[in-house]
Amino acid sequence: MSPGSDPTSPGVEEYFGPYGGRYVPEVLIAALDRLTAAWVEARADPAFAAELAGLLDSYVGRPTKLYKATRLSQRLGRTVYLKREDLAHTGAHKINNAIGQALLARRTGKRRIIAETGAGQHGVATATACALLDLECVVYMGSEDIRRQHPNVERMRLLGARVEPVEAGAKTLKEAVSAAIRDWVTNVETTHYIIGSAVGPAPYPALVRDLQRVIGDEARRQALAAEGELPARVIACVGGGSNAIGTFAGFLDDATVELIGVEAAGEGLEARHGASLSAGRTGVLHGSLSSVLFDEDGQILEAHSISAGLDYPGVGPEHAWLRDSGRARYVAITDIAALDAFRQLTRLEGIIPALESAHAIAWLFADAAERAEQRGAAPAGYDLVTLSGRGDKDLAEVLDRLPAGAAGCADE
Ligand SMILES: *Cc1c(COP(=O)(O)O)cnc(C)c1O
């Protein structure tokens, strides 16, 4: 194992066990070195920390609440708390990363920002941070996603970003990331690339985790204050893995806390899905070695999930290592189960979750059903789930998919 392979090390790790690294064109290596050095320096600078903390407080609305979901708990027969990232500005956790990286870019003298986006959530978060800090913003987006996610395209444009359509391949997120990396290779002297999840070449997986660990650090404090003890289980959905790794980071050293990441099983693990950890193999995608979905010929597969944010054929390298080392467990939830959880949380708690976050809630229902069937006992204690975002963006998709009447009020 290489130095820095311990995921709890305070450094900016290049490797997590065998995973991670920098599988990028030579011209980017020096830029990645400079970015690593800039982050180590910024993290240790009280002025940077104060500016970031100030914006997270007064602009993003942190700390986000930890909410005891009473009716959901009754339904499950077990106490559940929700970490409310859906209450953050722009409606999800992605703003934590976008603001942190935009501040870092400005500090290193880069005034041009590029980003990739799939559903448009990371694009909106980045365009928001760039408006706030007066930075130029270019967002790469597959032309198919531009068609499907038009409201977010309009938001980005209103915020002053240029949205660059990507016509290659399936015209979705994977191609948008590749286009952003190509732009970065060309413009690396003037440009900072704000990657949207805990993926990509080092130092991005560690940098994004460091910026998202505010979720886990707050949640741990809030959970202790509320219950006087740590949760038995901490649960989060996993696309690229940023809200999950940010949540897990707060609890990694607490050996009694079980960490559970929930991937998208889509139409099922034998069909189209996005479960890179549950059903992938070791390979390279977008600059790092991790667990990836690819076919016999080494071609990266099209992922599928009802939630655009989980629809990615790779995952952050630290998750692959947490899986192999046994510190975290990864499970997968189908589109149908996520839709059901979306509806249940909405009706039980008056909280409309993002479809991504609904996967984490769905696992609670699946686990409760399995326990009931096997008459097995759940671990003592309570559960904490990160609700990564709100569901406004998903209404069209959900209304399309729910059986007639199910979205209305004539059931239960
Ligand atoms: C983008 C997104 C995700 C998936 O990204 P991660 O990096 O895995 O956190 C999950 N939830 C919401 C609401 C998102 O917008």
Side-chain angles (χ1 to χ4, degrees), residues 218-284:
E218 285 176 7
R220 187 178 189 281
R221 242 185 353 260
Q222 292 166 321
L224 280 174
E227 290 284 321
E229 61 174 359
L230 290 169
R233 308 189 294 193
V234 167
I235 300 130
C237 67
V238 177
S242 68
N243 86 88
I245 206 69
T247 303
F248 292 176
F251 298 92
L252 271 182
D253 293 339
D254 301 312
T256 61
V257 177
E258 190 182 359
L259 305 175
I260 299 163
V262 185
E263 297 190 289
E267 295 165 351
L269 292 185
E270 305 304 315
R272 300 189 307 154
H273 62 80
S276 325
L277 289 159
S278 304
R281 289 175 292 154
T282 301
V284 170

Side-chain angles (χ1 to χ4, degrees), residues 85-86 91-94 119 121-122 196-199 208 212 237-245 307-311 315 319 353-357 387-390 393-394:
E85 292 302 294
D86 59 312
H93 67 290
K94 287 199 170 75
Q121 297 301 108
H122 175 56
S197 189
V199 299
V208 175
Q212 292 291 4
C237 67
V238 177
S242 68
N243 86 88
I245 206 69
S307 64
L310 305 186
D311 194 346
V315 66
H319 285 294
L355 278 171
E356 291 83 358
S357 323
L387 203 74
S388 55
R390 66 176 184 230
K393 69 185 179 61
D394 296 318

Side-chain angles (χ1 to χ4, degrees), residues 347-373:
R347 297 291 289 279
L348 287 168
E349 297 291 348
I351 296 171
I352 302 178
L355 278 171
E356 291 83 358
S357 323
H359 284 72
I361 303 293
W363 182 78
L364 295 176
F365 285 110
D367 176 65
E370 192 180 311
R371 271 189 285 116
E373 198 172 295

Side-chain angles (χ1 to χ4, degrees), residues 28 31 34 105-106 108-114 135-138 183-193:
L28 291 184
R34 285 196 298 271
R106 198 184 60 180
T108 56
K110 304 251 167 28
R111 302 204 63 87
R112 181 175 180 268
I113 300 295
I114 58 171
L135 300 167
E136 182 189 343
C137 182
V138 178
D183 178 311
W184 205 36
V185 167
T186 311
N187 301 300
V188 65
E189 294 307 319
T190 60
T191 298
H192 175 74
Y193 176 22

Side-chain angles (χ1 to χ4, degrees), residues 157-335:
R157 288 183 176 145
L158 280 170
L159 289 159
R162 198 171 86 222
V163 179
E164 280 288 340
V166 179
E167 303 289 352
K171 308 180 169 67
T172 60
L173 177 62
K174 176 162 66 74
E175 291 79 22
V177 178
S178 300
I181 293 175
R182 268 197 309 281
D183 178 311
W184 205 36
V185 167
T186 311
N187 301 300
V188 65
E189 294 307 319
T190 60
T191 298
H192 175 74
Y193 176 22
I194 302 189
I195 203 160
S197 189
V199 299
Y204 281 107
L207 167 60
V208 175
R209 175 207 56 211
D210 289 353
L211 290 169
Q212 292 291 4
R213 76 169 290 154
V214 66
I215 304 172
D217 289 342
E218 285 176 7
R220 187 178 189 281
R221 242 185 353 260
Q222 292 166 321
L224 280 174
E227 290 284 321
E229 61 174 359
L230 290 169
R233 308 189 294 193
V234 167
I235 300 130
C237 67
V238 177
S242 68
N243 86 88
I245 206 69
T247 303
F248 292 176
F251 298 92
L252 271 182
D253 293 339
D254 301 312
T256 61
V257 177
E258 190 182 359
L259 305 175
I260 299 163
V262 185
E263 297 190 289
E267 295 165 351
L269 292 185
E270 305 304 315
R272 300 189 307 154
H273 62 80
S276 325
L277 289 159
S278 304
R281 289 175 292 154
T282 301
V284 170
L285 177 64
H286 296 140
S288 65
L289 185 78
S290 188
S291 191
V292 179
L293 302 176
F294 57 89
D295 67 17
E296 298 311 314
D297 303 323
Q299 292 296 315
I300 303 295
L301 294 168
E302 284 301 320
H304 165 78
S305 168
I306 189 170
S307 64
L310 305 186
D311 194 346
Y312 181 65
V315 66
E318 190 167 4
H319 285 294
W321 176 234
L322 291 174
R323 177 197 63 188
D324 288 8
S325 66
R327 179 64 190 91
R329 169 155 82 96
Y330 295 89
V331 295
I333 284 292
T334 61
D335 289 349

